[in-house]
Amino acid sequence: MLRSLVGSEMCIRDRHRLKLDLNQLLEGGDAKRRERKIKAMKAAKSRWNRWSGTTSHSYHQPRVDEYTITMDLKVEEEPPPQGTSLYQTALVYTEEVGESGQAKIQSSDGECILNTQGGVGCMGQFGDVTKSRVQPGEWARVVVSVKCGSPGHKGQVKTWINTKPAGALESEAIQSSGRFSIDPNSFFLFSASSPAMVGGVQLRTIRVEQRVSTSDQVLEDRGRDKILSMHNEARRKEIKEQRQALSLAHLFPKPRPIWLTPALTGTIGDAMIENTGYEGSSCLAWTYTVLNHVLQQSFTQQDQAAPYYDGLPDETRCAISDVFHVMQASGPIFKQLLRLLTYSSSSQFVSFLRKLKSTLAACSTGHTLLLPCRVEGKDLLIILRRVTDTSFKVVVVNTDPTAGLRFHDSKAFPPKIKFRTCLVLDNVPRKFATDDVFWSAVYNLTLHSHPGDTDKFYGILLPFLTGKPLESSLVEGREGSALRDPQCSDTAYVQCIYEAINFMLAERQVPSEQSDQVQLAVTAQLVYMIRNDIQFVHPDSNGQRVCKLALSQLSYLFVRLAGKHKQLGLDTSEVYTNMMQKVHELSSEVHSSLAALMDDEIQLPAELDLGGEDKYGDAAKMQFQDLLAWDLEQGSPDPGQVVDLTKYVPIDFKQLPARVRTREEAVHALRVCDHLC
């Protein structure tokens, strides 16, 4: 046996490999390590051995035909399409060609491959990746057992991932002294003839044994050479299961609870988060992913959304479905812009413009696209609808009264000022709406912010589309949009999306009270997500305030909607009775969950009275009488969610070997005991 333990992981960079000298494997391995040390010391003292040419090993050792390789490894990203080579028995090997018996020199891409799906195997046999696979970013124990066959018989290769069987192969190509036999002088880890398959792995432990392993032996040795505690691994597994149960689990690999997302705070707290950390805490491209998921869930999950869409006519439900389809179809553009903002470069910019051009070219008559944009660091949204083969309708959605809304039409309704948040540009020629120079200029403003960019956008770029001054477009577009309240805080990354939804619903002849019912359904879906996430993650004090604010907003929207329907004289008593019952049940359930998380407050006991008028005369009595007899935590700002440290890590007896056979194994067992205790 040959064992190599690394105190901390070894990073094998891309296009780098690791060579191991396995000659000691043929000289007894760990069992005869002490004998080899004594022999080496004697040889060093003898001048005769030095000049006689005697070495510690021969360079003509036979090849190893039966072996087991165990390694603890981690990959940060998915392997390339060709896969990642785990080891190579030799840089080259010989293979007989035909019946002539002539030998041909060959090179391989590794004798064991980690494919893109996380499977481990060779020759196309990687096993069931739904049961055993190497997850990117997680440590995994990979075991490879090889038994080379004799002439005329098949050899076998078996692999395990975290003690679960993976690939299994039996083939006549696995022959002794062939490709799968180890050359002790030329054994390489993460090596292949293709440079793309080399390196890119973190290694913690590697063990090579001269034996063929079975599933029982792999399971028995699952804790061997492990440096980390099994308790910590179980804790990480529990955290992973909790993350997978959160509402946003299928959107992000490490999802956050819904009350920590700017999409929720921007939806329910626009009027109350001004001058706080929640203001301007996100961008439109990122928030769109979360809100689109919430919108789709609110309309498709019939068990939760059905009461909030009751009473709507079929025409309205079709219009809502069409608008949500536009949201879903526009999602890739927002992801591409988010990538452009994250990795800003000229090549990424050119790639984004190419994808945008192909998207615009694929937009057929009647279809609508949502395009995100930023001007001077402020989010705005562009609705692009193809009306005919030769014309488009362009709508600029802006909700910030301190920035772009000053170019929109407005009207005073004391004490408020309302704006036409949607600036409509009709009859835009196709050649202007799909012009590469125009979109290049728009997204150049998104990447590079300068003072005065808003004036350029409204004063130069928008008139370019219509061929007329902006004032003329404002007059012509008054009938196409309604006057609405602007945002109160810096939440354009949310408000622009809701304003675009309201505009598209109004364009499809959906009344305002029915649009408010859609907003109620979306808010209810957010509260359903709070109810789900609170079962797995407990919110801190700030998170509890956000959750309570969401409940208040849900109740307010329902009462406002009921009052509006009553003013209009609509008879929907049965629908609203059912809806009110659902809102009450949902709010009560979340309220009770939040109440269970609150800290109990207790009253301090009365001041200690030592009695008598002369109670201050005794110095011993007055020395500490003004001090509390217990520790009192000082008031401090809330640092966030409390994470309790582990006070006691239980001993994991699975790491202790069942028995020891040699002195080296006994010393190793004592070290493990010392580490655990």
Side-chain angles (χ1 to χ4, degrees):
M1 294 179 292
L2 178 67
R3 180 182 61 190
S4 174
L5 293 178
V6 184
S8 59
E9 59 268 15
M10 177 187 298
C11 297
I12 312 298
R13 296 180 296 175
D14 290 339
R15 300 178 184 272
H16 287 71
R17 57 193 178 193
L18 180 65
K19 182 180 180 181
L20 297 182
D21 186 357
L22 300 184
N23 282 282
Q24 294 181 2
L25 187 67
L26 301 177
E27 298 175 3
D30 289 346
K32 296 186 178 180
R33 179 179 296 180
R34 180 177 177 81
E35 298 179 6
R36 291 197 303 272
K37 289 183 178 179
I38 296 175
K39 183 178 179 180
M41 292 175 61
K42 292 181 178 180
K45 294 180 181 179
S46 174
R47 182 176 300 180
W48 170 258
N49 288 339
R50 184 183 307 170
W51 291 101
S52 64
T54 303
T55 57
S56 60
H57 60 267
S58 172
Y59 287 95
H60 299 282
Q61 297 280 10
R63 300 173 72 93
V64 181
D65 295 329
E66 296 182 0
Y67 56 88
T68 297
I69 300 176
T70 305
M71 58 179 70
D72 292 334
L73 55 85
K74 180 174 71 172
V75 291
E76 293 295 341
E77 300 178 352
E78 290 186 356
Q82 304 93 328
T84 298
S85 173
L86 296 185
Y87 72 90
Q88 195 175 25
T89 57
L91 294 180
V92 295
Y93 64 95
T94 58
E95 183 180 24
E96 293 186 359
V97 180
E99 299 178 354
S100 61
Q102 295 181 353
K104 181 181 179 181
I105 298 179
Q106 301 277 4
S107 62
S108 69
D109 287 329
E111 278 57 65
C112 190
I113 306 297
L114 172 64
N115 67 3
T116 55
Q117 295 181 330
V120 176
C122 61
M123 295 185 179
Q125 302 293 330
F126 298 97
D128 188 357
V129 295
T130 62
K131 297 181 179 179
S132 59
R133 65 187 298 258
V134 177
Q135 297 279 359
E138 298 182 5
W139 287 99
R141 168 154 289 193
V142 176
V143 180
V144 183
S145 177
V146 178
K147 180 180 180 181
C148 297
S150 57
H153 296 80
K154 295 181 179 180
Q156 65 178 12
V157 176
K158 293 184 178 181
T159 60
W160 293 263
I161 302 176
N162 294 327
T163 70
K164 297 180 181 179
L169 172 66
E170 291 187 2
S171 174
E172 295 181 354
I174 308 173
Q175 293 292 317
S176 60
S177 301
R179 169 186 171 185
F180 288 86
S181 297
I182 292 180
D183 184 353
N185 296 318
S186 302
F187 182 78
F188 291 88
L189 293 177
F190 316 115
S191 174
S193 59
S194 175
M197 303 175 63
V198 178
V201 181
Q202 297 183 29
L203 181 66
R204 177 174 286 164
T205 304
I206 176 67
R207 171 181 286 270
V208 183
E209 301 173 273
Q210 198 172 4
R211 69 171 187 178
V212 178
S213 296
T214 62
S215 296
D216 294 337
Q217 292 173 333
V218 172
L219 187 62
E220 181 182 353
D221 295 340
R222 64 185 181 276
R224 192 176 188 182
D225 297 335
K226 286 237 177 166
I227 300 176
L228 297 183
S229 171
M230 296 297 293
H231 171 77
N232 295 334
E233 293 186 3
R235 177 61 179 166
R236 284 195 295 269
K237 183 179 180 181
E238 180 182 359
I239 293 174
K240 181 180 177 181
E241 292 176 352
Q242 290 179 350
R243 285 174 174 169
Q244 292 177 345
L246 295 178
S247 301
L248 304 179
H250 80 283
L251 292 181
F252 310 104
K254 294 183 179 180
R256 63 182 71 177
I258 189 64
W259 55 80
L260 295 181
T261 58
L264 174 63
T265 54
T267 298
I268 64 174
D270 175 63
M272 288 160 278
I273 63 174
E274 188 176 5
N275 297 325
T276 66
Y278 293 107
E279 190 178 22
S281 58
S282 182
C283 68
L284 181 61
W286 189 90
T287 307
Y288 185 90
T289 303
V290 178
L291 277 183
N292 179 47
H293 172 68
V294 175
L295 292 170
Q296 305 299 331
Q297 292 291 315
S298 70
F299 195 66
T300 56
Q301 290 189 355
Q302 297 298 323
D303 55 336
Q304 298 178 0
Y308 302 97
Y309 288 101
D310 285 346
L312 295 178
D314 293 339
E315 296 81 4
T316 300
R317 297 180 69 91
C318 292
I320 295 173
S321 179
D322 292 341
V323 170
F324 287 176
H325 171 71
V326 172
M327 297 280 293
Q328 185 72 16
S330 303
I333 302 176
F334 286 80
K335 292 182 180 180
Q336 293 164 12
L337 180 62
L338 181 60
R339 180 178 181 83
L340 176 62
L341 295 175
T342 306
Y343 308 101
S344 179
S345 64
S346 58
S347 60
Q348 288 286 348
F349 183 60
V350 173
S351 176
F352 173 80
L353 291 179
R354 288 176 179 173
K355 294 177 181 178
L356 178 62
K357 182 179 180 180
S358 62
T359 303
L360 296 178
C363 183
S364 57
T365 303
H367 286 196
T368 305
L369 287 175
L370 301 181
L371 304 177
C373 183
R374 289 172 68 91
V375 179
E376 291 193 52
K378 304 295 183 179
D379 290 297
L380 56 89
L381 199 60
I382 298 177
I383 304 176
L384 190 67
R385 182 184 179 190
R386 187 162 187 175
V387 182
T388 64
D389 291 341
T390 59
S391 64
F392 282 79
K393 174 187 283 190
V394 179
V395 181
V396 179
V397 184
N398 200 322
T399 60
D400 193 343
T402 62
L405 271 185
R406 56 191 173 92
F407 294 94
H408 292 224
D409 189 21
S410 61
K411 188 176 181 180
F413 293 87
K416 294 182 178 181
I417 298 179
K418 294 191 175 183
F419 295 83
R420 298 191 191 276
T421 54
C422 297
L423 175 58
V424 181
L425 305 177
D426 277 320
N427 299 322
V428 177
R430 175 185 175 184
K431 64 177 182 179
F432 293 152
T434 60
D435 188 77
D436 295 342
V437 177
F438 171 78
W439 292 112
S440 177
V442 169
Y443 286 102
N444 186 57
L445 298 180
T446 301
L447 286 182
H448 308 94
S449 179
H450 302 91
D453 284 349
T454 305
D455 297 337
K456 297 176 183 177
F457 179 78
Y458 282 94
I460 299 177
L461 293 179
L462 293 186
F464 167 80
L465 292 177
T466 58
K468 60 184 71 174
L470 181 63
E471 291 75 9
S472 301
S473 300
L474 290 176
V475 175
E476 295 173 358
R478 284 180 177 176
E479 301 298 329
S481 62
L483 291 166
R484 296 180 59 85
D485 294 329
Q487 65 187 35
C488 299
S489 307
D490 188 6
T491 56
Y493 53 87
V494 171
Q495 299 303 320
C496 284
I497 299 175
Y498 286 116
E499 291 297 326
I501 293 174
N502 281 314
F503 175 82
M504 289 188 289
L505 290 176
E507 196 178 31
R508 289 165 172 79
Q509 307 302 320
V510 177
S512 60
E513 63 273 8
Q514 295 179 1
S515 298
D516 293 342
Q517 192 167 342
V518 175
Q519 185 178 2
L520 174 64
V522 173
T523 306
Q525 181 62 34
L526 289 170
V527 178
Y528 276 116
M529 290 182 173
I530 292 176
R531 185 189 67 175
N532 175 77
D533 292 356
I534 209 172
Q535 300 176 10
F536 305 97
V537 180
H538 293 170
D540 58 3
S541 58
N542 291 333
Q544 293 179 18
R545 296 190 191 100
V546 172
C547 295
K548 292 179 180 178
L549 183 60
L551 297 178
S552 301
Q553 185 70 7
L554 177 63
S555 302
Y556 166 74
L557 291 176
F558 171 74
V559 173
R560 187 184 69 174
L561 181 62
K564 183 178 292 188
H565 277 235
K566 185 177 181 180
Q567 290 179 358
L568 296 175
L570 301 177
D571 186 13
T572 54
S573 56
E574 182 179 354
V575 174
Y576 279 97
T577 300
N578 187 23
M579 194 182 303
M580 181 178 63
Q581 182 180 1
K582 290 294 182 180
V583 171
H584 177 69
E585 292 176 356
L586 180 60
S587 301
S588 301
E589 185 175 354
V590 177
H591 263 303
S592 61
S593 300
L594 292 175
L597 301 177
M598 297 184 64
D599 297 331
D600 295 332
E601 297 182 359
I602 60 174
Q603 298 292 333
L604 296 177
E607 183 179 358
L608 180 64
D609 186 6
L610 298 181
E613 298 180 356
D614 195 27
K615 58 183 179 181
Y616 297 110
D618 190 349
K621 290 184 178 181
M622 67 171 294
Q623 183 178 4
F624 299 108
Q625 73 170 5
D626 294 333
L627 300 180
L628 294 175
W630 53 85
D631 294 333
L632 182 63
E633 295 184 0
Q634 300 295 326
S636 59
D638 187 1
Q641 184 173 352
V642 179
V643 179
D644 296 330
L645 298 178
T646 304
K647 297 181 179 179
Y648 172 71
V649 178
I651 297 177
D652 186 4
F653 292 100
K654 294 180 181 179
Q655 295 193 26
L656 301 178
R659 61 178 179 178
V660 295
R661 302 177 181 83
T662 63
R663 180 178 180 182
E664 293 293 335
E665 293 182 355
V667 172
H668 175 67
L670 291 176
R671 289 177 178 172
V672 173
C673 293
D674 182 67
H675 174 72
L676 293 176
C677 299

